[in-house]
Amino acid sequence: MRTGHEIREAIARKQTSALEVVEQALESAGRLETELHAYIRLLPERARIKAREIDAAVTRGDKLGPLAGVPIAVKDIFTVAGEIATAGSKILENFRSPYSATVVEKLERAGAVIIGKTNMDEFAMGSSCENSAFFPTRNPWDVTRVPGGSSGGSAATVGAGTVPIGLGTDTGGSIREPASFCNIVGVKPTYGRVSRFGMIAFASSLDQAGPMTADVRDAAQTLEVIAGFDEFDSTSVDVPVSDYTAALRDDLSGVRVGIVAEFEAEIGASDPALAALYKAAYADLERLGATLVEVHLPHARYGLATYYLIAPAECSSNLARYDGARYGRRVQNGGDVFEMFERTRAAGFGDEVKRRIILGTYALSAGYYDAYYVRAQKIRTLIKRDFDTSFAACDVIACPAVSCAPFELGQKMQDPVSMYLMDYFTIPMSLAGIPALSVPAGYVTGLPVGLQIVAPAFEEARMLGIAHAYEAATGHARRREPPLAGAAR
Amino acid sequence: MSTKVANAAATDYEPVIGLEVHVELKTNSKMFCGCRNEFGAEPNSLVCPICLGFPGTLPVINRKAVEYLCKTGLALGCSIAAHSKFDRKNYFYPDMPKNYQISQYDMPLTTGGSVTLPSGKRVRLNRIHLEEDTGKNVHAGGRMAGAEYTLIDYNRAGVPLMEIVTEPDLSSPDEAEAYLVQLKAVLSALGVSDVKMHEGSLRCDANVSIRPAGSSALGTKAEVKNMNSFRSVVSALEYEIARQKASLAAGERIVQETRNWDEARKLTYSTRSKEQAHDYRYFPDPDLVPLSLEPATLERWRAELPELPLAKRGRFMESYGLSDYDATILSADIPTAVFFEAVVAASGEPKAAANWMLNDVPRALEKHGLTIESTRMKPGQLAELIKLVKSGTISGKAAKEICEAMVADGEDPQAVIAQRGLAQVSDEAAIAKLVDEALAANPDSIASYKAGKTKALEFVVGQVMKASRGKANVEIVRAALIKRLE
Amino acid sequence: MRGQYMRMAEVPIDIDHVAKLARIELTEEEAARFSSQFSRLFEFIDELAQLDVSAIPATAQVIPRINVLRADEVRPSIGTDAALENAPDREGPYFKTPRILE
Ligand SMILES: [Mg+2]
Ligand SMILES: [Zn+2]
């Protein structure tokens, strides 16, 4: 059993029990942890209690939820009532949340069993998981390499087969890039499709939660569970949630797939091997019946700069609350309350977080606001318009999810800009608020990479349907096992 | 120091004053979360992850707060913005859970409008916007300076706050007070706030500058904060104006700064707040979406507006023949106005009702620590009392005693009269007997009266009243006495 | 506007001032390192000045919505002890911090 839907079926048919599945997942997680470091914290007791509840429901013959008994891993950026939520930061290392995130509640109501909280770049700032305040997570395909980030822990544990479903967040690529690096499916939904309540904020206008799963069907099923309006999130949208699993398809006849001319030029110049892999992926789509059309995103090249004004500006304000007064870590060596704030934040935040807070504070400060923040928001409009224009000519866009294969730990840590460039192909969609996913697309020198499929706002069903056809026809992830695989497959 | 400042005051400068008033809205729940909005609860008992700014939480706008602000705007003739939004005002302070305040920067809910003072002067408003209140710091040892540590209560954090900003239209401390009185009356009529300055539900900051009399230029202003009553607003403004005049007279320059009013020492002092504290880095709150109120909603709210104090004052003067002064007082406080009109309706005696409501009733309320809302006295009982005085059943003096008993205990006037034997004696035979006794006891008075000293007559009337323990009908006593003496 | 923007980007960031606004105590090493890293990033950011955006509206909200409001209904609070469970320091029902010096 590899996927969530297979596990649920087996539990429903009493071929196995939820407790048995959970014990296997906990065993796998524990065994791999010394090499993978995917979890900040396992929650074995909570998981066993929930698993027994599912088993009792099976025994009673109750109607089972769509994820009944499926073990899942949750990025440590989501709150779970009564449990610690660190967001990968020392400043929250002891913060125990009195409430659960809306998505966590929805997943548990659907029967999912949370086995642990996964590692991440601190406050979701990073593309390698090396910015975790605790330890870096490794890639199950090569433990000397990064799993991607910021949702690296969820990607690694799903990629290793410990659990079929992980929950991640994506602000500029933090679901899609690690999904690509760990050979799994990762979905960033439309902004507002999924509630942000209980998801520790990085950049509010960009953050979005999404599934990271073994296959497209699990992604569709999980998204169906977590999507929808939430009265606790004013920016969640009350558009009806489609039946995503019903939308899964096996051929692409009549589908127009946009290929972004600017992206092809970029990747062709930077990594010819990867460019060739993507060319092959587009050919696969064509073979399935799709028509390829060239589209243009002329402002996408400004995405990185735009993002590195908007996201730090919002984070500088969102992270102001971590001051040592009400919760979390405090550093106090005499002095007044403001000195306590300054020392707490100096000791509690890592390099990347400090860097972005400083940058964002600067971009919002007197005299610079219009030149930086407002200008970035205007360019955001231009990027969004590029997508609107493109989607007049195509149904979805197919493009690279990453600009290179998984890289070695430490390789980009001294040069933040080279790390920022990792999100070159994922940031424009985040700025436009549109849905995008990464689906396994093959291997470069033995390491996995993903194909990005992008749809107009709220067209997740279309996007997942097309990804499913591609996955079914190519089966890249099914073809190989990662060297570090830990589950009963 | 303060006398020196006062003496140095020059006469050729005039003050220019603008007020920023923060008003807590009387909603059931807080601005962005469901915690109860209530004054005086146990510290940190009215809090939740949202108003404590816990990681992962998000705000959602309270519809009632928007309604209350818009109704205030409609009542004051403001224009309600077609499009409005919330912004973050970023600065660090321990009473502010997120270290930013959700407020409105460049697109407030209302602009323009005015408050008309009883004098007829219109004080123009610049804007009214909606924001959230902060928590409260309790400084160990009482004062901030010298405190060892700070204790924080976040019950108030997130309470909806309406900020009403005037143009610099006020030209004296008394006018500032008149504005506050009028504004408070309007807000109280609208029912949008408790407007209690001592509980902090109405707070006032003032921008003060002076300029040569007759000039239209604006001088450098100081912002004066920390005034806790209307009285302290007046004192602080008087002090600050005198201070600025003295500074200019001494050849100094006024610096733009924030100054705190020290109630104990009766002076303002500079807070010397650091320059950087003013870089608030406003930007639109990405957690909230804009407001764009439907014209139909605004029309419905407009239709729901109650009669406002100035309109009520006019109606009281016209319908009940009250003086400007009496009508102003009775219309300023809604519960008082409602009680007054109920007494008028039940008694048909508007002038008498006004007299009672302006004099004896407030005196009795104060004596017993009650308010017009907490007293058990009913309007019908006061109306009955008025009728009993008019019919001569009780004397005016007895009526005052009965009134106090009614205010204190809510008893019917007839019951008080019976218990205390306060019914007026109008029986002529009984009175004649008392008059005879008084004359017999005071032969000198008779001589004086006959010698033309009418004062002596009143003395004897007093003796008769005393003998009757105030119950004798004084008119009948006087008539009987004159009849006997002539 | 365009020229003015370029000049602004060439002014080095006053890291100490910004760190004070952000209430983060930076070491000299951090301040120097961040400065040089920012100058690299601003090579990208400065490219934004190439675009004439004078006629372009700003996107603050990528999926436009208006008037998301909640009813004025009281929900239970979490209670003083739950509120203070995470407090680094408390005294009775209060959160406790070092003193405020203005
Ligand atoms: Mg304010
Ligand atoms: Zn609350």
Side-chain angles (χ1 to χ4, degrees), chain C residues 20-74:
Chain C
K20 198 80 189 165
L21 281 176
R23 294 290 183 194
I24 298 177
E25 192 176 72
L26 291 185
T27 63
E28 263 176 51
E29 184 277 325
E30 282 173 323
R33 187 157 43 84
F34 289 176
S35 289
S36 76
Q37 288 164 339
F38 289 149
S39 61
R40 173 93 211 275
L41 182 60
F42 271 86
E43 289 170 19
F44 287 86
I45 290 175
D46 287 347
E47 281 185 27
L48 300 182
Q50 294 168 4
L51 294 169
D52 178 7
V53 291
S54 50
I56 308 297
T59 293
Q61 238 200 321
V62 77
I63 305 292
R65 300 197 68 198
I66 53 164
N67 299 342
V68 179
L69 304 161
R70 49 174 268 272
D72 181 26
E73 282 161 8
V74 174

Side-chain angles (χ1 to χ4, degrees), chain B residues 248-381:
Chain B
L248 290 187
E252 294 161 11
R253 282 183 46 203
I254 308 293
V255 277
Q256 182 155 353
E257 62 183 350
T258 300
R259 301 181 67 86
N260 271 343
W261 168 244
D262 185 326
E263 184 70 48
R265 293 188 294 159
K266 302 279 181 240
L267 52 81
T268 66
Y269 62 93
S270 175
T271 60
R272 286 180 247 286
S273 51
K274 293 174 189 110
E275 181 67 24
Q276 57 111 354
H278 299 299
D279 191 347
Y280 293 127
R281 290 161 283 134
Y282 281 102
F283 74 105
D285 191 334
D287 289 334
L288 293 167
V289 306
L291 293 173
S292 183
L293 299 167
E294 298 274 336
T297 306
L298 294 177
E299 277 321 300
R300 183 160 48 80
W301 288 343
R302 191 192 296 279
E304 287 169 9
L305 293 179
E307 184 183 36
L308 294 176
L310 278 189
K312 202 183 282 291
R313 181 188 70 153
R315 186 167 59 80
F316 282 7
M317 289 166 71
E318 199 163 302
S319 312
Y320 304 138
L322 302 187
S323 71
D324 186 335
Y325 181 82
D326 291 357
T328 300
I329 295 179
L330 287 174
S331 61
D333 177 55
I334 294 302
T336 303
V338 167
F339 198 103
F340 163 70
E341 292 210 82
V343 176
V344 174
S347 67
E349 296 286 340
K351 285 198 172 143
N355 259 323
W356 283 103
M357 291 299 295
L358 288 164
N359 299 300
D360 293 277
V361 170
R363 200 175 299 132
L365 287 172
E366 196 182 324
K367 184 171 171 190
H368 295 279
L370 294 166
T371 67
I372 199 67
E373 286 166 291
S374 61
T375 175
R376 287 161 61 199
M377 178 174 74
K378 300 282 167 290
Q381 295 172 323

Side-chain angles (χ1 to χ4, degrees), chain B residues 28-29 34 44 61 147 152 292, chain C residues 67 70 72 75 93 95 97 99:
Chain B
N28 296 323
S29 62
N44 293 306
I61 301 164
I152 313 168
S292 183
Chain C
N67 299 342
R70 49 174 268 272
D72 181 26
R75 287 177 186 268
F95 291 86
T97 69
R99 61 188 169 165

Side-chain angles (χ1 to χ4, degrees), chain B residues 30 32-36 46-52 157, chain C residues 75-77:
Chain B
K30 291 188 181 180
F32 297 114
C33 69
C35 289
R36 188 178 294 285
L46 304 179
V47 291
C48 73
I50 300 170
C51 58
L52 286 171
Chain C
R75 287 177 186 268
S77 296

Side-chain angles (χ1 to χ4, degrees), chain A residues 46-255:
Chain A
R46 183 188 181 95
R48 289 184 182 112
I49 290 167
K50 297 284 175 189
R52 288 193 189 98
E53 286 172 10
I54 300 293
D55 287 333
V58 172
T59 307
R60 285 194 304 268
D62 292 355
K63 189 175 182 298
L64 297 180
L67 296 174
V70 179
I72 65 168
V74 172
K75 187 177 184 179
D76 207 24
I77 202 166
F78 295 96
T79 61
V80 175
E83 305 294 343
I84 285 172
T86 67
S89 182
K90 271 191 280 184
I91 211 159
L92 286 177
E93 79 193 331
N94 294 316
F95 170 69
R96 196 173 289 281
S97 177
Y99 76 103
S100 282
T102 300
V103 286
V104 165
E105 281 186 351
K106 285 183 162 188
L107 285 166
E108 291 196 324
R109 230 179 293 136
V113 178
I114 299 170
I115 69 151
K117 306 288 294 292
T118 56
N119 197 22
M120 56 183 286
D121 287 297
E122 184 176 6
F123 287 104
M125 297 175 201
S127 305
S128 68
C129 222
E130 293 164 288
N131 290 331
S132 164
F134 306 110
F135 41 76
T137 295
R138 311 302 177 110
N139 192 314
W141 290 83
D142 178 348
V143 293
T144 68
R145 291 173 189 269
V146 303
S150 64
S151 311
S154 287
T157 192
V158 174
T162 294
V163 292
I165 298 171
L167 194 58
T169 63
D170 190 312
T171 304
S174 279
I175 285 175
R176 291 162 285 166
E177 187 241 18
S180 173
F181 278 8
C182 293
N183 217 24
I184 63 171
V185 177
V187 179
K188 182 203 93 74
T190 309
Y191 181 81
R193 179 69 295 180
V194 176
S195 167
R196 293 187 293 117
F197 189 74
M199 176 177 138
I200 298 175
F202 158 22
S204 309
S205 77
L206 295 155
D207 295 343
Q208 194 59 197
M212 305 177 78
T213 59
D215 71 356
V216 173
R217 180 170 295 276
D218 275 354
Q221 186 64 76
T222 309
L223 184 60
E224 221 169 280
V225 167
I226 63 175
F229 175 71
D230 176 13
E231 59 178 336
F232 287 98
D233 177 1
S234 318
T235 62
S236 70
V237 180
D238 49 4
V239 170
V241 178
S242 325
D243 185 342
Y244 298 129
T245 46
L248 302 182
R249 55 193 290 179
D250 289 314
D251 80 285
L252 297 181
S253 49
V255 175

